[in-house]
Amino acid sequence: MLSEPVLTARREDGRDVPLLVWRAERPLRAVSSAPLGGGIGVRRWVVNATVPMSYDRDDPAAHLAELADRLGLDGPGVGLLTGVDVAEVVARTDAGVRVWATVGLGTPVWAAEPAPAALARRAGGVQRVGTVNLVAYVPARLGDAALVNAVATATEAKAQAIAGLGVPGTGTPTDAVTVLCPPDGPESAYGGPRSAWGAPLARAVHAAVTAGGAGTVVPWSDRPAG
């Protein structure tokens, strides 16, 4: 079982910077696209850390490992970064599947953008950073293929929610997905949107991203200190 996230903070550059921490009662199977703990494997915790819009470290995995060490987190885990205030996390549950989303849509992009437009976008200088981070817990063991399929399902549901919000894009350049499940029990072979666990995963992701993206999200570092 994955705990509800705990909101805490670390001191950086004279400010208390928020982060969320999930702990597992026992090691869980996971698939993730996160900078720390990405891939498929056993994970014990998840951290989703707010960073300022000026963040420019080229070693995010090492930074996240430092944060985990400060928090006393042992063993392998998953680390995510976002410019969104993670205190604004949105949680949704559907048929036992739990999803938490931090939603920043400041830089929407189309996944398949023509090359000239993509180059022009990159050459245009600094843009508003936007990140949608998804953390999901499925209460049944998923096989490797089902875990990969679950990431695709969550991403499709996120894109559907973004379309429903009228945002011109399928996501942002820095979105990340993490799906966790128990390491034992009968194995589910499928994670697609019409599978037993993919369907509630899709609904929960869609609901969380829709709710999180409905209002104006102000980057954490754009807010007055204190």
Side-chain angles (χ1 to χ4, degrees):
M1 180 67 73
L2 190 66
S3 71
E4 290 294 321
V6 174
L7 180 65
T8 183
R10 82 274 187 187
R11 194 73 177 171
E12 286 185 0
D13 299 324
R15 296 187 69 179
D16 291 323
V17 190
L19 48 81
L20 289 173
V21 183
W22 292 257
R23 290 177 171 86
E25 295 175 359
R26 55 178 178 149
L28 299 172
R29 279 173 52 77
V31 61
S32 180
S33 62
L36 177 66
I40 294 178
V42 174
R43 304 290 183 260
R44 294 177 175 270
W45 47 264
V46 179
V47 168
N48 190 11
T50 294
V51 292
M53 299 297 283
S54 58
Y55 188 82
D56 60 358
R57 287 186 60 157
D58 59 5
D59 60 345
H63 183 202
L64 285 159
E66 293 168 8
L67 297 182
D69 186 61
R70 288 189 221 170
L71 292 165
L73 298 172
D74 297 323
V78 173
L80 306 155
L81 297 171
T82 178
V84 174
D85 184 346
V86 294
E88 297 181 353
V89 64
V90 176
R92 292 292 185 270
T93 301
D94 193 301
V97 174
R98 294 185 291 157
V99 168
W100 299 268
T102 50
V103 183
L105 295 171
T107 309
V109 297
W110 298 105
E113 191 168 50
L119 289 171
R121 185 190 295 272
R122 287 198 294 271
V126 177
Q127 304 173 57
R128 302 299 297 169
V129 174
T131 298
V132 180
N133 282 340
L134 299 172
V135 176
Y137 176 77
V138 176
R141 182 173 183 245
L142 301 179
D144 285 357
L147 281 172
V148 174
N149 207 173
V151 171
T153 295
T155 302
E156 290 171 8
K158 175 197 72 177
Q160 181 181 343
I162 290 171
L165 291 166
V167 176
T170 51
T172 87
T174 52
D175 292 355
V177 182
T178 300
V179 179
L180 305 103
C181 68
D184 48 24
E187 183 175 283
S188 295
Y190 305 106
R194 291 299 173 265
S195 66
W197 294 110
L201 171 64
R203 291 191 296 265
V205 168
H206 183 269
V209 174
T210 298
T216 301
V217 177
V218 178
W220 171 84
S221 57
D222 286 1
R223 299 176 179 181

